[in-house]
Every structure is written in structure tokens, then in C-alpha cells.
Amino acid sequence: MRFGTISAPVHPKIAQKAKNPLRNKRPFMEYNYRYPYFAILILGIGIGIYRHPNLSKSTRIILYLSVITLLTEVIAYWQGLSRIPNLVIYNSFMLIQTALLGLAFTFETSNRQIKVGTLFTIIIVSVFWFVSIDKFNSNGLVAVLTFIVAISLFYFYLLIKTDTVVPLRNFPFFWFSTGFLIFGVLNVVGFGLIYLLDVESQILNSVFSSIRIYSNYFLYALFIPAFLLPQNSVKNA
């Protein structure tokens, strides 16, 4: 099991191995990709905690989401090592991250459409959560990734419309939205291609795994400048 929070668990077609998995020799990166992932998360969380008194309410929510992300990944990693199924914690996290992202972007923009979109996505994910809480929740995952892409694009729309002399790069949510947008697009396209192609290919599986891994690095690395910046907001611009 690989990243399962915002990136979601591995698709069964990617995760499928030979009948005797002990005979499979996985590449070096398969054993070590979590180390830089955890390091980036911990660095961002440390900076966020240090800067906490100066962070806006919306940025603090992203910080709390980072903490929950790290805890979820550590627990899921331990479950994987202990041969305990960890899809329940991954599927449950989709509800938490949808709610927190929607709340953060709502505080950042005070926009009614984001509130409605968040509620709609939570309802969809909840339905699939009850149906397949202990299985790979592909429908819920696609809904969350689509939601992430949509709110990121909508934030950029609001940011461009803002009448301000402050450079766009000095808005923390410019960095958050950039990370979420690129992450969401890459992963929703990747999962979509897996379904459409419906083929077993070691090369394709390796490509999609790399996309998922490095898009996580990219996403959480962008949290760091967002935590360090002055807390300019679209709502107050």
C-alpha cells in the first residue's frame, strides 16, 4: 500500500503482484519513497507550528490537515507492515480531507459555491464510504480528486479577479492551489487511463506509481513557502 491520503491508495491493477509476492524483486524506490515523503511532511509541519501564531485561519486548517495526513500515513504504514488491512483508514481519510479542504478554501474566500461543492462531495464520498469502506474506493477517490482540481481552479479564478498590487506568489493559497491542482490533474488522469486502457503493463504501472509518488513530494513541498509567507488573503485583498 502506498500513499493513501490525498493521493489515495494504490489501484488494484497497480498493486496486483504475482501469486508469491516474496519472489517479486521491487525496485529500490519502492522501499524508500516514504522517507522523503515523511521528511517533507515533518519539515512543513515543523515550520507551520513555528509560524502558527502568524498563520491565518485558513492556512492553519491546511497545517492541521498536514498533521492528520502524517498520522494517517504512519498508522497505515504500520498496518501494512503488520499485515493488517489499511483501506479503512485510507477511505475514512477521504471524508476528513474533503471537509478540511472545503473549510480552508471557504475561510480563505468566503465563497458560497465552495461550501456547496464541499457538501456535495462529502455526500458522494460518504455514500461510497458506506458501500465499500474496506475495499478500494475508486469512485470516492475520483470524486475527491475532481473536487481538489475544481476548488484549485476556482481559487485561481478568484485570485486573478482580485484587485490588488500584491504579487500572486505572495498569497499562501497560490502555493496550496498550485500543488493541489497539479497533484489532482496528474492523479485523476492516471487513474482514468488505468480504467480506460485496462491492460497489465509493468511499464505503465511504474509510470503511474512514479507520478503518484513525486506528485506527493511536489504537493507537500509547496506547503513550506505557503507557511512562511505573509498571510495575504483573497477575502481581504
Side-chain angles (χ1 to χ4, degrees):
M1 185 57 59
R2 298 179 180 86
F3 300 150
T5 52
I6 293 179
S7 58
V10 175
H11 191 282
K13 292 180 182 177
I14 295 180
Q16 187 176 13
K17 303 294 180 183
K19 291 184 179 180
N20 185 357
L22 295 179
R23 294 180 181 176
N24 284 321
K25 292 184 178 181
R26 296 190 295 178
F28 177 83
M29 192 62 188
E30 287 294 304
Y31 291 101
N32 295 278
Y33 69 88
R34 284 189 179 87
Y35 299 146
Y37 176 55
F38 288 159
I40 293 170
L41 271 172
I42 292 171
L43 177 60
I45 290 170
I47 293 173
I49 292 174
Y50 176 76
R51 289 269 301 154
H52 187 273
N54 305 110
L55 298 181
S56 66
K57 184 182 296 186
S58 51
T59 303
R60 288 178 182 179
I61 294 174
I62 299 295
L63 171 61
Y64 305 152
L65 177 60
S66 300
V67 174
I68 296 173
T69 297
L70 178 61
L71 292 176
T72 300
E73 291 288 6
V74 170
I75 294 172
Y77 184 43
W78 170 80
Q79 289 177 323
L81 293 176
S82 305
R83 304 295 182 183
I84 300 172
N86 54 15
L87 282 174
V88 172
I89 190 171
Y90 280 142
N91 288 334
S92 299
F93 186 82
M94 280 195 275
L95 283 172
I96 298 173
Q97 59 129 7
T98 301
L100 289 180
L101 280 177
L103 189 63
F105 277 84
T106 297
F107 280 142
E108 174 65 18
T109 64
S110 297
N111 188 275
R112 183 176 179 275
Q113 286 92 329
I114 292 180
K115 295 179 184 178
V116 173
T118 301
L119 180 60
F120 181 70
T121 305
I122 289 175
I123 292 173
I124 292 177
V125 176
S126 297
V127 170
F128 292 123
W129 182 83
F130 284 112
V131 172
S132 58
I133 184 173
D134 59 345
K135 301 176 183 178
F136 179 78
N137 190 352
S138 58
N139 292 317
L141 170 62
V142 171
V144 172
L145 289 173
T146 303
F147 170 71
I148 288 172
V149 172
I151 60 173
S152 299
L153 287 173
F154 190 65
Y155 174 80
F156 282 124
Y157 167 74
L158 296 176
L159 184 60
I160 292 172
K161 284 182 58 179
T162 301
D163 184 15
T164 178
V165 296
V166 178
L168 299 185
R169 64 179 181 275
N170 286 350
F171 286 80
F173 270 73
F174 168 83
W175 297 94
F176 292 140
S177 298
T178 298
F180 284 128
L181 178 60
I182 294 175
F183 172 86
V185 169
L186 288 176
N187 283 276
V188 78
V189 169
F191 278 100
L193 288 176
I194 291 173
Y195 276 110
L196 290 175
L197 296 177
D198 196 24
V199 295
E200 293 297 332
S201 169
Q202 187 174 2
I203 295 177
L204 284 177
N205 290 346
S206 178
V207 170
F208 292 141
S209 293
S210 296
I211 289 174
R212 187 178 59 256
I213 290 169
Y214 288 106
S215 63
N216 270 273
Y217 296 167
F218 178 77
L219 169 63
Y220 293 109
L222 291 190
F223 283 20
I224 295 173
F227 290 147
L228 290 171
L229 283 171
Q231 298 298 290
N232 297 302
S233 172
V234 167
K235 179 173 61 176
N236 300 323

